[in-house]
Amino acid sequence: MIELKGVTRRFGDAVAVDDIDLTIETGEVCVLVGSSGCGKSTTLRMINRLLPSTSGEILVDGEDINKVDPEALRLNMGYAIQSTGLFPHWTVARNIGVVPNLLKWPARKRDERVNELLILLGLDPATDAIKYPHQLSGGQAQRVGVARALAGDPNILLMDEPFGALDAITRENLQQEMLRIQRQLNKTTVFVTHDIDEALKLATRIAVMDQGRIIQHDTPEAILRRPASAFVENLIGKGDRGLKLLALRTVGELMEGHSQPREPEPGADGLNEADSLRFALSVMVWENTLQLPVYNGAGEEVGTVKREHLLQGGA
Amino acid sequence: MLPNRVLSNRVLSNRVVLALALAAFGCVWLLNLGVVQPNRIVTGTGYGLYAATGWLGAGIVSSLLLVVVVLATRPVHKRYEVLAALLTVALMTLPLLLEVFALHKLPTDSAYARIGIGAGFWCLAFFLALILLETLGQLRASRRFQLSTVLLIVAGWWLCASREGLSSLSLIREYTNRADQFAQALAVHLSLSLSAVAISAVLAFALALAMVRRERMRRPLLGLVSFMQTIPSLALFGLLIAPLGALSAAFPFLQALGIRGIGWAPALLALIAYSLLPMVRNTYVALIEVPESVVDAGRGMGMSERQIFMQVKLPLALPVIIEGVRITTIQAIGLTAVAALIGAGGFGTFIFQGLGQAAMDLVLLGALPTVFLALAADAILSALKFKEASR
């Protein structure tokens, strides 16, 4: 658990972060979102003491971070940044092994961990491990960046716009990977972004920041349904917030389940349990149907979803 | 038929080799190959290629260049391999031309008569070396291969120079008269320039670190080392004589150490002063140009400042730092020659003696090894930098 109590940070006369209170529960993904210069990165960098706070208190699992040695503190917090910060003179494997090395893990344990992470992030241990950062694509480099942040098995993950410099498709892929990895590992994560869609997709709770203050701190659904101010309303966009709400839930949550999985009808088009309701609606509009079968990962038909339900109870 | 055209273009003609071969041909026929001097001071009589070596020598040189021209313009199979082999052998055996010349033209009745090397010979050697360089480039020869080629040629010249036939060469006469002094000059030259580089490397590293840590130190420190660079070398050598002389007179233990107004002490100080600018500048730039994001990532992951410096900043800065050492070493080897004027010794001694006696071959005896040392230092440090940069 991370607690910020009355934390302020000034740069000269300018106030970057203005007396904020924020509690991030263990295992949750807290996304700090706001336009550039709103203090979200500054907040993140105060949590691992890359920046000292001017006043206030930051506690990690109840302990004041100023009472902990900064290097020891950071070794227990994975850190990934937009520009990756990979060491250009080291191979991918050595980059990922930085924190295990700093923690003085035995070589064997470290190498096993590096392999495990390469596989977890969809990289090839045989070919990618021996590459140098300049030989990687942007998406691959960022995967390595995330792997490196996870390598020491930290309790906390700090991510500063890690996917900000990637193209839309690569970013989308990495967000999916993030969700998958987070379901597996359950790290307490603080994630900074300026992209509200990314925030809605990844967050268990979102903190909207503006001019150094937290305007609203709530679940994605609550932010969409009850924006606390015109600023938040503007940020989420009035035009498609209904669709954004639909995007938060999966087909599996709304479908009418069959008593027992069935063999799919040959040639029938359908949805996957994990697809979002937004996607389901889009397919229905496109195919002009009133209902669609839903399949599970094994390809069995497990239920149906109706357009009527989707429109009434989806959002 | 694009691939064919590209192929034929690549194979058909190498204009660089062609132009160099034609230039060599012109020079070797128009300029004097060698000079016969009645003694070491009097200007001698020059002989062209044909006059110096007869039909045999002129024929061999001309047909060699003709073959090079043919290889440069015709699509001969494996022509660059052939060219490389041919030129290496030609360069190795080039001094034999002078031997033939000595055999033909050296008067046997005079003990003081000697032969000098003419402009034609130097030009021929120079152009053949350039063609070999181009050929090795076309072959994409590895560093090891290039180095072995150079070593072969040096060994060839060494063997030729130690033959009886070339003992009448003026340059070799000057050398045999001073073999002991030559060895000593080499030792002094090397130890002076290398210790200056080593000491200034340590100093420059400390200064660059101070500049990185404290931004406001940057201007005064860079100003100081730049200022030292602007003092003419001769003036700086001279300026140090008085204070060092006074110090040495005041403190006898300094005198016991060999520190006096002239000699190695002022030379070393001046060389260090000159070495500081390139070394400080490169080290400083190399250290501050390590990307901020890389340092930020290292710090954010829990590396200590010391670990960041040793494992990240220094390795990333090393190629540029080595580049600074390379420039400084070449410069110091050159400047050490001037330091002979204040009695520091080294190859400069021969240069200034030769100038004083109007004996050009004695000047060469000092200048050629100085150039050779600088080239060797350049090759070694370039290889080191390349190795560091490719890691």
Side-chain angles (χ1 to χ4, degrees):
Chain A
M1 190 165 76
I2 306 169
E3 294 160 275
L4 283 75
K5 295 179 177 169
V7 173
T8 297
R9 168 72 201 187
R10 290 194 192 85
F11 292 104
D13 287 337
V15 182
V17 172
D18 191 2
D19 189 26
I20 62 170
D21 294 292
L22 182 67
T23 302
I24 299 154
E25 301 291 345
T26 303
E28 90 168 328
V29 178
C30 175
V31 177
L32 304 178
V33 65
S35 43
S36 54
C38 70
K40 55 192 193 298
S41 280
T42 307
T43 307
L44 182 95
R45 293 166 67 83
M46 282 192 288
I47 296 175
N48 66 358
R49 287 184 65 186
L50 281 177
L51 284 174
S53 52
T54 310
S55 63
E57 215 181 2
I58 301 176
L59 308 175
V60 170
D61 295 331
E63 196 172 6
D64 187 343
I65 58 165
N66 282 319
K67 297 200 172 95
V68 186
D69 171 58
E71 277 124 38
L73 178 81
R74 291 170 195 152
L75 284 172
N76 195 21
M77 293 184 177
Y79 184 57
I81 56 180
Q82 181 174 349
S83 47
T84 74
L86 294 181
F87 298 144
H89 58 307
W90 286 357
T91 60
V92 164
R94 194 159 174 208
N95 263 291
I96 297 177
V98 172
V99 176
N101 271 337
L102 291 173
L103 292 168
K104 300 198 166 59
W105 287 13
R108 189 174 188 169
K109 185 179 170 195
R110 177 199 65 209
D111 294 344
E112 279 170 8
R113 178 70 181 158
V114 169
N115 262 347
E116 190 183 314
L117 283 165
L118 282 166
I119 294 166
L120 182 70
L121 279 133
L123 296 159
D124 183 354
T127 57
D128 291 329
I130 51 170
K131 284 184 182 163
Y132 283 87
H134 68 90
Q135 296 168 302
L136 302 174
S137 68
Q140 284 175 322
Q142 203 47 264
R143 281 167 196 268
V144 175
V146 174
R148 186 171 70 168
L150 289 167
D153 202 10
N155 292 329
I156 291 169
L157 211 50
L158 305 179
M159 309 184 92
D160 194 350
E161 301 211 34
F163 311 141
L166 303 176
D167 64 84
I169 295 169
T170 313
R171 183 163 61 226
E172 174 92 23
N173 281 338
L174 271 164
Q175 287 165 352
Q176 292 295 351
E177 304 272 297
M178 247 326 267
L179 283 173
R180 178 176 62 81
I181 292 166
Q182 178 59 15
R183 272 198 297 273
Q184 232 172 305
L185 305 178
N186 260 319
K187 301 280 181 202
T188 309
T189 306
V190 186
F191 190 106
V192 164
T193 181
H194 61 264
D195 177 358
I196 185 70
D197 290 311
E198 185 166 76
L200 289 168
K201 191 166 187 179
L202 298 178
T204 46
R205 280 202 292 174
I206 296 175
V208 181
M209 290 187 73
D210 184 38
Q211 294 179 353
R213 291 167 183 273
I214 293 179
I215 308 291
Q216 190 171 9
H217 181 213
D218 218 328
T219 61
E221 185 171 351
I223 297 247
L224 282 169
R225 286 189 195 281
R226 297 178 296 277
S229 70
F231 178 83
V232 181
E233 214 171 331
N234 226 349
L235 187 74
I236 57 184
K238 283 183 197 167
D240 63 346
R241 59 182 170 190
L243 293 174
K244 280 180 173 150
L245 269 176
L246 280 180
L248 294 179
R249 295 176 64 192
T250 62
V251 170
E253 293 172 49
L254 195 81
M255 70 179 181
E256 288 171 8
H258 298 318
S259 50
Q260 185 165 354
R262 298 176 193 166
E263 279 298 302
E265 287 172 37
D269 234 357
L271 301 162
N272 195 292
E273 279 181 308
D275 288 334
S276 75
L277 292 182
R278 180 180 175 145
F279 178 75
L281 182 66
S282 173
V283 174
M284 283 175 187
V285 169
W286 180 253
E287 298 192 348
N288 195 16
T289 66
L290 292 175
Q291 67 172 48
L292 280 168
V294 179
Y295 303 118
N296 64 10
E300 299 161 321
E301 187 182 320
V302 286
T304 51
V305 65
K306 295 199 168 101
R307 189 158 92 187
E308 197 184 340
H309 284 172
L310 218 151
L311 294 177
Q312 283 162 6
Chain B
M1 295 299 282
L2 191 68
N4 244 338
R5 217 181 67 208
V6 171
L7 193 72
S8 61
N9 250 347
R10 198 178 70 84
V11 169
L12 252 188
S13 191
N14 184 323
R15 290 186 192 157
V16 177
V17 172
L18 179 64
L20 289 171
L22 291 177
F25 192 81
C27 286
V28 84
W29 276 98
L30 292 175
L31 300 171
N32 282 335
L33 187 83
V35 182
V36 173
Q37 293 170 287
N39 58 50
R40 65 186 288 248
I41 293 169
V42 174
T43 319
T45 334
Y47 292 89
L49 177 64
Y50 170 64
T53 59
W55 278 119
L56 186 64
I60 290 177
V61 171
S62 305
S63 41
L64 166 76
L65 291 172
L66 194 68
V67 170
V68 172
V69 167
V70 169
L71 285 172
T73 48
R74 310 305 320 167
V76 181
H77 183 59
K78 294 212 168 203
R79 58 174 175 166
Y80 286 118
E81 284 84 348
V82 176
L83 260 180
L86 191 65
L87 287 162
T88 309
V89 173
L91 278 165
M92 280 170 71
T93 53
L94 205 56
L96 291 179
L97 268 185
L98 294 170
E99 198 176 322
V100 174
F101 170 52
L103 206 66
H104 275 244
K105 295 295 172 195
L106 191 72
T108 41
D109 52 349
S110 161
Y112 297 110
R114 52 185 65 205
I115 60 165
I117 304 170
F121 181 87
W122 288 125
C123 285
L124 182 63
F126 178 65
F127 285 121
L128 288 181
L130 284 183
I131 298 174
L132 180 58
L133 210 64
E134 162 71 12
T135 307
L136 290 178
Q138 291 285 351
L139 283 173
R140 297 205 172 78
S142 65
R143 274 184 174 274
R144 188 168 298 182
F145 189 84
Q146 293 178 21
L147 191 69
S148 354
T149 313
V150 171
L151 288 179
L152 268 178
I153 293 168
V154 170
W157 283 51
W158 191 261
L159 279 177
C160 288
S162 49
R163 283 163 64 93
E164 184 60 30
L166 274 180
S167 61
S168 59
L169 192 64
S170 183
L171 190 61
I172 291 180
R173 289 238 170 137
E174 299 288 2
Y175 170 74
T176 31
N177 287 344
R178 294 176 178 77
D180 292 347
Q181 287 175 14
F182 188 88
Q184 204 198 354
L186 175 67
V188 169
H189 206 106
L190 269 182
S191 55
L192 252 187
S193 43
L194 294 188
S195 52
V197 169
I199 294 170
S200 64
V202 174
L203 271 178
F205 196 70
L207 290 179
L209 272 189
M211 274 158 48
V212 170
R213 295 236 169 93
R214 274 183 280 277
E215 175 62 23
R216 66 195 165 78
M217 306 267 283
R218 189 178 65 93
R219 284 176 136 270
L221 278 179
L222 270 184
L224 181 72
V225 293
S226 308
F227 169 71
M228 288 196 285
Q229 195 81 7
T230 63
I231 309 173
S233 53
L234 210 50
L236 187 56
F237 285 130
L239 281 174
L240 285 167
I241 294 179
L244 277 177
L247 272 177
S248 150
F251 303 101
F253 75 93
L254 287 179
Q255 209 157 9
L257 282 173
I259 295 176
R260 286 175 299 140
I262 58 168
W264 64 266
L268 187 63
L269 280 179
L271 287 173
I272 292 171
Y274 281 120
S275 302
L276 281 177
L277 177 64
M279 209 92 94
V280 169
R281 196 177 43 199
N282 273 50
T283 310
Y284 174 70
V285 169
L287 286 176
I288 60 165
E289 283 197 345
V290 173
E292 191 49 45
S293 67
V294 171
V295 176
D296 182 60
R299 199 173 285 141
M301 281 184 300
M303 291 176 110
S304 65
E305 291 307 308
R306 192 188 150 77
Q307 285 165 332
I308 290 173
F309 187 81
M310 297 304 290
Q311 296 181 28
V312 181
K313 284 187 178 176
L314 199 56
L316 287 177
L318 211 51
V320 183
I321 296 178
I322 293 176
E323 174 65 12
V325 175
R326 187 182 70 90
I327 296 169
T328 310
T329 310
I330 294 169
Q331 178 188 282
I333 288 172
L335 276 174
T336 304
V338 182
L341 277 179
I342 52 165
F347 288 128
T349 322
F350 299 144
I351 298 179
F352 293 114
Q353 270 179 21
L355 284 173
Q357 302 169 2
M360 279 309 129
D361 287 296
L362 186 52
V363 176
L364 277 182
L365 186 66
L368 285 180
T370 310
V371 172
F372 185 78
L373 280 184
L375 288 177
D378 179 44
I380 293 168
L381 288 165
S382 295
L384 202 64
K385 179 184 136 192
F386 182 77
K387 204 177 138 209
E388 273 305 319
S390 63
R391 273 211 315 201

